[in-house]
Amino acid sequence: MTRTIDKVLTKRMGGKQQSINEEARTATFVFSTSATDRMGDIIDQKTWQLDNYNANPQFLWAHKQRELPIGQTVDLQVKGGKLIGTVKFATADEYPFADVCWRLVKGGYLSAVSVGFRPHRWESYADDATGVSGYKFYDCELLECSLVPIPANQDALIGAKGID
């Protein structure tokens, strides 16, 4: 069964093997990169502050902090200039909505994540060549990670490019 779902996911998600483990109910995502996001902002990946998040690694639906989490992050690290996380989704018995989210991830209907953070340092910037302006954030405390339909960071995807 796992080989079948892997082949389906590989075909449906752009020909790249995705990081989904059906038995463990886990999926690995790129949570953040240093790419300029859709709002023109950049997060320095080398300066993430992860200790508080790791003490309470809740994975949410669409940044809804007042709702129950749909899972928890079981592995989190900055690797290759990206914040990479593996999420374990709650079961249908534990939380039916989390199971719906899990099935949508497995089916390829949801593949994006987004981070909620508090920057401790930032600076504004403007790129005259592209006309893009925004903020560069440093020393960001990770508060939460969420499954979302559309991420601010276009590279914040399941099993995304460059997970080695």
Side-chain angles (χ1 to χ4, degrees), residues 91-106:
T91 66
D93 288 341
E94 293 167 331
Y95 186 28
F97 178 69
D99 188 59
V100 169
C101 293
W102 166 245
R103 286 184 281 139
L104 290 171
V105 167
K106 282 193 324 179

Side-chain angles (χ1 to χ4, degrees), residues 91-129:
T91 66
D93 288 341
E94 293 167 331
Y95 186 28
F97 178 69
D99 188 59
V100 169
C101 293
W102 166 245
R103 286 184 281 139
L104 290 171
V105 167
K106 282 193 324 179
Y109 300 101
L110 285 172
S111 59
V113 293
S114 181
V115 293
F117 62 95
R118 181 172 54 175
H120 293 280
R121 265 187 326 120
W122 61 88
E123 60 188 33
S124 61
Y125 81 96
D127 185 336
D128 294 331

Side-chain angles (χ1 to χ4, degrees), residues 2-163:
T2 300
R3 286 182 185 252
T4 303
I5 191 77
D6 286 347
K7 287 179 185 174
V8 170
L9 289 171
T10 299
K11 185 174 181 181
R12 187 178 289 160
M13 296 181 172
K16 296 196 179 209
Q17 179 62 43
Q18 302 305 309
S19 299
I20 292 178
N21 181 325
E22 268 193 276
E23 288 180 34
R25 293 180 66 86
T26 62
T28 300
F29 298 88
V30 170
F31 282 171
S32 181
T33 71
S34 58
T36 303
D37 69 20
R38 290 181 169 110
M39 279 133 338
D41 298 330
I42 300 168
I43 300 173
D44 180 2
Q45 301 300 299
K46 295 179 297 241
T47 61
W48 275 112
Q49 296 176 4
L50 305 174
D51 290 344
N52 289 336
Y53 180 78
N54 283 328
N56 186 38
Q58 302 303 302
F59 189 70
L60 306 177
W61 166 249
H63 302 291
K64 297 187 182 217
Q65 297 175 9
R66 293 184 179 187
E67 293 184 13
L68 295 171
I70 60 173
Q72 64 182 3
T73 305
V74 294
D75 184 35
L76 182 66
Q77 58 186 301
V78 175
K79 183 177 181 183
K82 300 171 182 166
L83 183 62
I84 312 264
T86 299
V87 174
K88 180 173 178 59
F89 286 80
T91 66
D93 288 341
E94 293 167 331
Y95 186 28
F97 178 69
D99 188 59
V100 169
C101 293
W102 166 245
R103 286 184 281 139
L104 290 171
V105 167
K106 282 193 324 179
Y109 300 101
L110 285 172
S111 59
V113 293
S114 181
V115 293
F117 62 95
R118 181 172 54 175
H120 293 280
R121 265 187 326 120
W122 61 88
E123 60 188 33
S124 61
Y125 81 96
D127 185 336
D128 294 331
T130 63
V132 174
S133 63
Y135 292 96
K136 291 182 181 180
F137 296 113
Y138 304 91
D139 303 319
C140 295
E141 177 186 358
L142 184 62
L143 302 175
E144 56 89 8
C145 297
S146 291
L147 184 66
V148 295
I150 300 172
N153 182 323
Q154 61 279 357
D155 296 329
L157 301 169
I158 189 168
K161 317 165 213 165
I163 295 179

